[in-house]
Amino acid sequence: MNETNRFEHVSGGRFAVLAFLAIAIFAGLGARLWFLQVMSPVDFVEVVEEQRTREIITEAPRGRILDVNGRVLADTRESLVVTLDAVQLAEVAAGSDAETRLAAREVIYAEVATILAAEGVKAKVEDLERTYQRAATQSLKPVVVAEDVTIDTWIEVEERALAGFGVERRWVRDYPYGEIAAHIIGHVGEVRSSGEAAELTARAPGRRYQAGDAVGIRGIEATFESRLRGQPEIRVIELDAFAQVVGTREVTQEAVPGEDVVLTIDIDVQYAVEQVLLDELEQARLRPACSDACLPHRGQAGSIVALDVTTGAVAAMASAPSYDPNEWVFGIPSDQLDYLRTSLDSPFLNRAVSGLYPAGSTFKPVTAYAAVTTGARSPGAVWEDEGVYQLESCREEGGPGCRFQNAGAAVLGPVDLITSLSRSSDTYYYSLGETFWVERDTYGETVIQDTAELFGFGQPSGVQLPADSAGRLPDLEWLQATYGEDQGWFTGDNVNLSIGQGELLVTPIQLANAYATIASGGERYEPSVVAEVRTADGAEVQEFAPRLAAEQSLDPTAIGSIRQGLEWAVQTEQGTAWNAFVGFPMNEVPIAGKTGTAQVTRRADYSLFAAYAPALRPRYAVAAVLEESGFGGDAAAPAVRRVIEHLFEIEGVPMAPIRSDSGDAPADPALLFGATP
Amino acid sequence: MTALVNRPRPFGRNEGGRTPRPSLLAVDWSLVLAVAALVAISGIAVYSATRGPLDDRSFVLKQALFAAIGGTGGAVIAWIDFSKMRDWFRPGLIATLLALVLVLTPLGKEINGTRAWFSIGGFTVQPAEFTKLALIVGLALIFSGRRTETLGRRLGEAFALFGVFSALVFLEGETGSLLVYGAILLGVFLLAGVPVRLLVLLIVSGVGMVSLLLSTGALEGYREERLLSFLNPDADPQSAGYQVRQSLNAIGSGGIDGQGLFEGPVTQLRFLPEQQTDFIFAVIAEELGFLGAATVLALQAFVLLRIFRIAQLARNSFGSLLCGGVFAMFAYQVAQNAGMNMSLGPVTGIPLPFVSYGGSSLITSLLAIGIVQSVSIHRYRVGG
């Protein structure tokens, strides 16, 4: 075949090559198809299922928090809210540089701010950008920037089609009483990241969280989170490729509304107690300090706890300063919130359970009980109070470290157990403190600490609130763990402990509960702030019965004398609390109590008073601690008096003017803290 | 039927009575049936891919219209002796070139960055598709008959034709069609007996050209991205690789018997972009499973087998080469389209013959079948 006529016919060989190529192509395609559809190790059906469906978690309405009379302290209501969607905002001017994108967002913010201004909501452009940055970095669901907006705003936002902003119905938390009982109720905040959501979910399976959901942060909102939250609805929706919802596949979990928590407090009483605390703190600020040498009364903070002696139920629990939990409801960071967070007076701190204070003289009943029960000193034994106590163990060499004295070096003369309490003799207890340590082979090294535990010190109170502190009951072990192995427990440590000073720290609720224990003669309850929890429809009610922390019978002789001493402190003219209770109808409601004045380095004295009433058939125990407010009899005792007046609905009786030289001032602070005067 | 058979020859010149009349018996009916089956499957798949929640039937109705137009045109061409192509080629070539140039002017319409369309009464026409036919006819002409012509001259003409078409189509941005032209060129060269070393050289330089294009960035970004994405479909889940991934999801979840017609989630929820055109194969694979997709491949193979057979039986090399060009065109398009659906090759806008939605493509394919049928019908004619 020559070159030209080979184009006359197609050769068989060329056909064969073509056929071979085609067969190869189809063999390859067929094999690939078989591999993908029949043999593939990847479960494509699963992959498709995952990308076409999404779980939508919708929070159930959160349970309410009610007072004992059913008044709503924390409410959930449906509100029309304006939301900021970080995912959508991120798309604004996508593709341009950061500056252009920010400028584009700011145009939108300005429009939103204008719309919200009509609602009376001040939303600054910077705040909205801050909110966006936060939501974007923490992958939140759309964040609420304004709540309770009107239909007009809804329409306006929808009409203007502002990218990233929308209006929806959301459950919002409302605290109608604001600052009142804020520390008990607590507040909700938002779950800040998907990591946090996963952690919360792991703790409470079935109560799935997502970033941006509400979660209890403080108070009952935190401790009863699992009951209040309820079960969110989990709906599996089907999406198309454009993320448009096609429909609902299934509801894998039905919503169950959160349960209602009923507190033991009466909000009126709570309000009254908080007012008493604020008033008395103000009075303390106005009262001049003892002299130029004394530090000024700042009277900035304090706490009052009132417990039902027969059940341990909290009747009132005040902590000042307080805060408005509603500040937390908005997604926008507020100036007020920033202030609260940075305030040195820690408004968020629930001082009733987390405030740590030296007990001062209110601790004396513990030492007294130890003295009687160990036989170290009988109730009737008379001690000559010379105003000053020189440690036996270093009487030889003398020196300032060996001298302990009463407040103002007052000489009380002969005192027994009862009058040592009512007149608050320090030397009576100094000597006991020394005796216990010097003769520790007989009494044991920790007789005071062990006794304190009987009254509930050194352990969390057990109340259903977060940060329920154990306080601090110091001993050699603690000293060495804290300050080093070379530390030793000396006589002076025991002497300080005997009058509730030194390293001892207690919380107001511990103090109230210790006096409730004295009042009941031994039965110690765990304080409870929750009366019952009930389902939203009220069908199931779980009552919170009193919980005994310790069923113990205390030595009746010791307790009898102590109670008498506490009664005399209030009801006799020589008692340290006499002035505070002048004019109080003791025949109707006899009161027993103990003043305390605690030293804190470089601060004015902390004023303490712990009491129970009625003295013979006790119903309530009340403890008050007023920081930097002076003598126990001056600030805390009047506060407790007014609380008791409210609890027993006694008409207010004008009080006698407070004597600023009332007793119960402990020894010279410098001596107590081991420094040379 | 007899009436038709006994009709006086309506077409063609009388070349001395040596030629039998065109006969319906000479029509390759099995090829007709296979193509009809593919078009029917196309109708179902396009309907499934486009009906949406509102039961949109416009696509499938248009596709039916295109099939009718293409089928009619194909039948007409089949009835005419393919040797008439010699006379029609010149005006056809001029019309094709005119269309390819005009589409670059403002008369043309740009879709997805490709200026390759005329918009006529609500329909879009893509000249690059019909150019395939002009190329096949032209190349077959160049390499058949003309005994005295040298190989060099023939190659020169062939490259000139291919070059002009390719350049114009490249300007349009239609790189996909360019590859089909290349396949046609190679197919015709192969059957025409172009020396093997030249073919090898051609393939090597073709691959070199494509790599050069990619490395110099002469391609616009998205096209390069599409070409490269098949190497790693997961690199960017939202763009080019996304298509391939969704295609694999669709095919893979089809299994043996499929998710059921109109019940494939990837298709019905529109996760697959361009699903009625470039990714129709994945739609079929998802909803009708391996059985459906393999049937499509088998029908395509059968179509090619028949074309191959007709090429062998053609009465002259012109007929053989016409069939060879059509064969190469279909074979390449099936390989390319099904291959990219299964992530065996880069994503290019090449339709699956007879199945992908699109008027220009379907009509061109049916006209091509008409040419093949003409070769079949007129295979006994010895003259011309």
Side-chain angles (χ1 to χ4, degrees), chain A residues 4 7 14 32 51 241, chain B residues 147 190 194 246 270 317 342:
Chain A
T4 47
F7 297 105
R14 291 303 173 99
R32 175 70 173 163
Q51 77 173 5
Chain B
R147 287 163 202 222
L190 178 67
V194 171
Q246 294 302 344
R270 308 282 183 111
S317 66
M342 295 188 286

Side-chain angles (χ1 to χ4, degrees), chain A residues 278-300:
Chain A
L278 293 175
D279 286 355
E280 292 300 332
L281 283 169
E282 194 185 349
Q283 291 295 321
R285 285 196 292 273
L286 297 173
R287 200 176 305 125
C290 51
S291 69
D292 293 345
C294 290
L295 292 153
H297 293 160
R298 284 186 62 229
Q300 81 289 4

